[in-house]
Structures are given as C-alpha cells and as structure tokens.
Amino acid sequence: MYSEDTIAAPATAVGEGGIAIIRMSGPLSETILKTCFFPSQPVDNLSTHHLYYGHIQKANGLMIDEVMAVLMRGPKSFTREDVVEIHCHGGSVVVTQILDLLIESGARLASPGEFTYRAFLNGRIDLTRAEAIVDLIRSRSEGAARIAVSQLQGKLHRSLLQYKNTLLDVLSHVEADIDFPEDEIDPKTFDGISLQVHQLVEDIDHLLSTFNSGRVIREGVSVLIFGRPNVGKSSLLNAFLGESRAIVTDVAGTTRDTLEETVLLDGLSLRLIDTAGVRHTEDIVEAEGVKRAKDKIAGADLVLLVVDGHIGITPDDRLALNLLENIPSLLVVNKADLSPASLDPLFSAIPHVSVSVRTGEGINELIKRIKQIILKDRSQEERESFMLSDRRHFQSLLRCRQSLQGFLENATGNFSSEFLAMDLREAISHLGEITGETTPDDVLNCIFSKFCIGK
Ligand code: GDP
C-alpha cells in the first residue's frame, strides 16, 4: 500500500512569517534531505525524531537558508512513511527555493490533502480522523474545535468499531445458520441476537440525536432577524456585532434585500441575517413578498421576530407571526427604554425577551435564550463525550439504522437467514462508509480535495 514516490509541500500558510515548515513524505525523504541539508555538527547517520540545526545548500554550494530539520522514520510518522520537516525562515522566496531543490532532487509537489490521504491509506488514521483534521483547522468556535479534537482522538471511530464488532458477531451466528441449515438456530440464540441488534439501534439512535447540536456547533447557525420596518432589526444586528468577541467574516454577503454577518457569541458561531432591506410593508402583503419571506424563514435555524414594544403590535406584526408557524422562533420586544404598550395576548403567549437595543438592556438574556433554543438541551454539549456533527456521517449512520430496522422486521417475519445476513452486511457497509473502509472513491476524492496543499 505504501507509495513509491516522495511528495513535498509547504505545511505552513504562504506568506511572511517567523518560520515556515516544508514537509516531505515517501521512501526518498532521507536521501533527498542528505543531498541538500548539512547539519552544523556533521553526523554519519541522522537519528530519527531528532531536530538538527544546519543549513540548506544547493549542489553548487549556494546556501539558501539556515534551518532546523527533522527526519521521522516510518512507521512512527504522520503518514507512516519516512517524513522530513524542514523549518526554515518564513518567506515565499526561501520556501519556493527549498521546495524547488527538493523537487530537483527527486520529490514531487504534493496534491491537496495528500499527506493526510497517505496517513489514511497506510492505516494511520481512519476517515473520521482525517476529516477531523480539516474540521479542527477550519473551526470557528471553541465548541467546533472541541468536537473536532474528540473526533481526532478517535472517539467516533471507536464507537463505530464497537458497533461493527457487535454486527460481525451477530452475522457469524446468522451465517452459521446458512452454512448448516439443518441445525436450526436455537430460539434462545435468536432472541439473544435480536436483543443485541435492538440495543445497537438504541445506541445508534442516541448518537443520531446528538447531530442537531453537533451540526450547529460545527457549522454555526443561521439566525434570521425578521419583522416589519422600524422595529430595530438593523440596530439589533449592530448590537450583536458589538457584543461579539470576533467578527468572523465581515459582510459575508449582501444580497438585494438581506445583510449577513457571521459572529461568535458565547462560543457559538451565528450567521445573522438581517432582512432590513425589506422596507416596504407591501412586500410582505404581496404574494411575492410573502414567498420571499417564507424562503428566508425556511432556510433559518432560528427566527427572531422583532416588534416595537412602545408602539405595540400592528397588523403587519400579526402577518409576520403567521408566517412563523412551526418555525423555531423567539419574539424580541424592542425599545424597552420607552413606555411599553400592552402586548397582544397572542404575542405574550409565545417565548419572548424584552430588550432595548438602544441601552443594551436584555441583550445578554437574548443571547442566552438563543443559545438555549439552538442547543435545545444546553448541557448536552458537556454531557456527551462526543457528538455527531457531519452530515455525511449522519446520513450513513441513518442508512445503517435502516438496514438494522430491516433486519429486525425480517427476523420477526421468518425471512431466510440469507436475507438477514444481507441486512447485516449492508449495515456494516454503511458503518464502513463513515470510517473509510467502504467509502466510494469519488466521495474520498471529494473529501480530500477540500484539504489544501501541505495537509
Ligand atoms: P429596522 O427598520 O427594523 O431595521 O429598524 P432600525 O434598526 O433602522 O431602527 C428604527 C428606529 O428605531 C431607529 O431610529 C432606531 O434608532 C430606533 N431604535 C432601535 N432600537 C431602539 C431602542 O431600543 N429604543 C429606542 N428608543 N429606539 C430604537
């Protein structure tokens, strides 16, 4: 399985910096290093996992840079192949010169994600851990990083492995029945098998139930700020931006009638969508306006319906509320600094927070409530040792569950053991899609193409 060629690429981001790291992996790594790296204290043999100080020099004696270099002999390396890292000064010319030298000496430029792909192919990590590397690098909040780290530690992989072992055990009993049909499966064994699968379905259901919170933490959540004109929607968006410790992207997208900002609030990445552009009341009244509003609402994880607490509820507010049936939403009664109008009973019956965007009153409470609604059970994040956060994993696990459901139904329906074995093999294969054992090549290519060069 080990690759025959040697790859090289910068492992650090391009640009000026204190240091840059160039990584090389493959059978020629050590030989290539020896042709261009000269330790300040000459050694006969480079020790593995030992950092050497020296310089990189071209064949004509021209010195390129003072560096630190380390050779990590396989299999104790990231790719399980011989890996070299050269720590040089950060700067695109130095990095390019060293890289060119490595390539002239027999390496080739790595394609995106190729180091991680080799780690995966060589069995160093499974697919969930490879994906966790990208997630960790790209994570925008502490929560997202926490999920990625636990996946990188192999927590998800270990659970899936446990599921698979249970299924292999069940399969061995069912296959025994296929091989020796004359010895009927003892009904007791059969009950035991069904119980095992039932238990497994429960465990899978539990893991599936963590997906909603996991996804929200990993991907962030879209919050639509909705309501009639002049209630304070834009002001609310600005207040959120003021509260945010970090604006993750500035003006991610300004469409014709919405403004979007991604902010980090209390560890959660929120994509805030302000419908401030919908300035004309007729927009909502018109069929086209209603359709547009509905489309926006449908795409949001949470809708904040903002009303003016001083003026009170107007027919337009009622219209807006009608659009929110069955949509996770929170009523924001703004302008609490002014004398309050009485709230329509229809409105006071739904979850609401009173705020004054002008004075800042109630904004922290609003953020707390948003978090509560989005994470449903706020303690879930702390309680779970790991969460399912990736749609691909979720869908494969759902398919695995369907196959097991099929097994349980067929088992009570007196189907032949061949059928039962087929359900089990299908379920095992769906688990393998997650870990990489049975993932189709095009899916693998798609996953690794999302990496950048050097990862
Ligand atoms: P939008 O049309 O819903 O986006 O509303 P804006 O954010 O543009 O606000 C409309 C008006 O209400 C502006 O004059 C704001 O200054 C004012 N406003 C917003 N929030 C408050 C508030 O909490 N108290 C008071 N008194 N005025 C506010």
Side-chain angles (χ1 to χ4, degrees), residues 229-235 279 334-335 337-338 356-358:
N230 281 324
V231 289
K233 297 186 295 299
S234 305
S235 311
R279 287 275 164 209
N334 189 27
K335 309 197 184 180
D337 53 299
L338 302 175
S356 164
V357 176
R358 180 157 291 171

Side-chain angles (χ1 to χ4, degrees), residues 203-365:
D203 291 349
I204 289 177
D205 278 345
H206 178 73
L207 188 52
L208 286 170
S209 76
T210 64
F211 176 66
N212 192 43
S213 297
R215 175 191 70 84
V216 158
I217 296 168
R218 175 174 176 264
E219 294 177 3
V221 54
S222 62
V223 177
L224 184 75
I225 305 177
F226 190 58
R228 65 174 183 81
N230 281 324
V231 289
K233 297 186 295 299
S234 305
S235 311
L236 182 62
L237 177 73
N238 287 330
F240 280 136
L241 297 185
E243 283 291 322
S244 166
R245 282 201 292 128
I247 298 176
V248 182
T249 53
D250 347 304
V251 193
T254 313
T255 61
R256 197 172 62 84
D257 55 9
T258 57
L259 183 75
E260 236 182 89
E261 295 272 13
T262 303
V263 300
L264 199 61
L265 285 179
D266 207 6
L268 192 68
S269 166
L270 297 186
R271 210 164 63 250
L272 296 167
I273 307 153
D274 174 19
T275 51
V278 189
R279 287 275 164 209
H280 309 292
T281 320
E282 311 86 79
D283 262 12
I284 292 191
V285 180
E286 279 172 10
E288 179 54 28
V290 171
K291 187 186 168 297
R292 272 221 307 275
K294 273 189 174 165
D295 285 349
K296 283 189 202 105
I297 290 167
D301 292 304
L302 172 68
V303 178
L304 298 182
L305 174 60
V306 188
V307 296
D308 186 326
H310 175 59
I311 291 181
I313 302 304
T314 70
D316 283 349
D317 293 328
R318 287 197 189 91
L319 205 63
L321 184 67
N322 279 342
L323 295 176
L324 298 181
E325 213 178 322
N326 296 326
I327 305 278
S329 45
L330 182 61
L331 179 67
V332 181
V333 185
N334 189 27
K335 309 197 184 180
D337 53 299
L338 302 175
S339 58
S342 66
L343 206 57
D344 186 313
L346 194 64
F347 281 71
S348 53
I350 58 176
H352 59 276
V353 185
S354 174
V355 304
S356 164
V357 176
R358 180 157 291 171
T359 63
E361 178 193 334
I363 296 291
N364 282 341
E365 175 62 20

Side-chain angles (χ1 to χ4, degrees), residues 35-36 38 55-65 101:
T35 61
C36 58
F38 299 92
H55 56 273
I56 296 279
Q57 192 175 303
K58 284 190 173 186
N60 63 9
L62 189 78
M63 189 176 116
I64 298 180
D65 194 10
L101 193 57

Side-chain angles (χ1 to χ4, degrees), residues 11 23 77-79 113-120 124-140 144-154 218 389-390 393 447-448 450-452 454-455:
R23 181 150 68 168
S77 71
F78 177 56
T79 57
E114 199 170 358
F115 289 95
T116 315
Y117 190 46
R118 286 188 176 195
F120 164 67
R124 164 81 166 66
I125 50 174
D126 78 300
L127 193 55
T128 64
R129 293 170 74 182
E131 289 173 300
I133 293 174
V134 190
D135 282 357
L136 185 58
I137 291 169
R138 299 219 171 124
S139 52
R140 289 170 150 194
R146 204 163 42 241
I147 291 184
V149 165
S150 93
Q151 195 171 309
L152 188 60
Q153 285 175 326
R218 175 174 176 264
S389 63
D390 187 305
H393 300 169
I447 291 170
F448 284 98
K450 285 190 209 136
F451 285 59
C452 44
K455 279 194 205 121

